[in-house]
Amino acid sequence: MTDMTTLLDTAEEWQVTATATPFQGNKTSVRTDDVVMPDGTVVRRDYQVHPGSVAVLALDDAGRVLVLRQYRHPVRQKLWEIPAGLLDIPGENPLHAAQRELYEEAHVKAEDWRVLTDVYTTPGGCDEAVRVFLARELSEAEGERFEVSEEEMDMELARVPLEELVRGVLAGELHNNCLVVGALSLTAALNGDGVDALRPADAPWPARPFEA
């Protein structure tokens, strides 16, 4: 039986006897590793190599969350999501990336930032790590709006009460992983120790170390 006081994920790396990159894309790639199992057998594991991402659950003074609706070709659906984007620059400060995404996708800035949660999206097949921030004290960003392109040209914006997002998640109507994780995590925080107990925006992130 696991001692619940020590329930935490820990770093570990099993021996890799061979590795290859059969596909290299613009932002991500596919890697094939031969991994030594505990009994000594060697198995092959294919997985996507991903730079990492940030997402922003932006909460206004009325308790509404800023969401956007965007076409996602792999699942052939338009999904309601929270602002998010790739960590395009190695070692980039995730807070700076999150602030950029909130500006580019919603033309909004926030004065109060905290880490809501850190997740691996699909650890069995991808090494993508996502840091989800909580942003509050929202206001309109200065200057011209960021010029969007491709799928973002058809994007819709809305502000939705947190309770309505949670209802949609539990009803199977909303599926974006960052929205689901963010809405449920914020609800847990509000019903627990409160958002002031959340980690600061510059909290360490071992999955994607960054510069201050």
Side-chain angles (χ1 to χ4, degrees):
M1 180 69 72
T2 300
D3 180 359
M4 295 302 292
T5 61
T6 60
L7 188 66
L8 74 162
D9 298 333
T10 56
E12 186 165 345
E13 188 168 351
W14 292 2
Q15 182 184 0
V16 174
T17 59
T19 188
T21 305
F23 170 78
Q24 179 67 57
N26 184 33
K27 298 293 185 180
T28 66
S29 61
V30 173
R31 183 175 296 164
T32 298
D33 288 343
D34 291 344
V35 186
V36 180
M37 295 291 105
D39 64 357
T41 60
V42 178
V43 301
R44 182 155 292 176
R45 293 288 180 260
D46 300 319
Y47 58 100
Q48 183 184 21
V49 178
H50 194 285
S53 306
V54 291
V56 184
L57 194 146
L59 184 71
D60 68 15
D61 293 339
R64 301 174 302 174
V65 176
L66 194 156
V67 292
L68 50 92
R69 189 168 181 245
Q70 187 171 346
Y71 176 66
R72 293 303 188 184
H73 186 70
V75 296
R76 307 301 199 271
Q77 288 192 16
K78 274 191 171 182
L79 301 179
W80 284 103
E81 307 178 350
I82 58 177
L86 297 176
L87 289 168
D88 294 312
I89 305 170
E92 181 179 16
N93 188 306
L95 174 60
H96 299 166
Q99 292 169 331
R100 180 184 67 241
E101 293 300 329
L102 185 61
Y103 161 72
E104 291 181 357
E105 296 191 348
H107 200 65
V108 165
K109 65 179 181 179
E111 298 302 321
D112 185 81
W113 290 83
R114 298 174 189 271
V115 175
L116 191 52
T117 189
D118 298 325
V119 295
Y120 291 115
T121 56
T122 320
C126 180
D127 71 349
E128 181 185 15
V130 181
R131 168 156 282 188
V132 183
F133 288 92
L134 171 65
R136 297 183 298 167
E137 299 179 25
L138 310 181
S139 61
E140 191 81 2
E142 295 91 356
E144 297 182 3
R145 285 185 172 272
F146 182 77
E147 186 175 345
V148 298
S149 61
E150 300 173 352
E151 289 92 343
E152 293 182 351
M153 295 181 68
D154 191 43
M155 198 162 57
E156 305 170 45
L157 294 174
R159 295 195 182 201
V160 179
L162 176 62
E163 295 79 4
E164 179 61 18
L165 292 182
V166 172
R167 185 207 63 77
V169 167
L170 299 179
E173 299 168 355
L174 300 171
H175 306 90
N176 173 262
N177 58 352
C178 291
L179 184 151
V180 171
V181 169
L184 296 183
S185 295
L186 178 56
T187 300
L190 292 171
N191 291 327
D193 295 332
V195 296
D196 289 338
L198 293 171
R199 287 171 292 162
D202 60 352
W205 189 17
R208 292 294 185 273
F210 59 90
E211 301 172 3

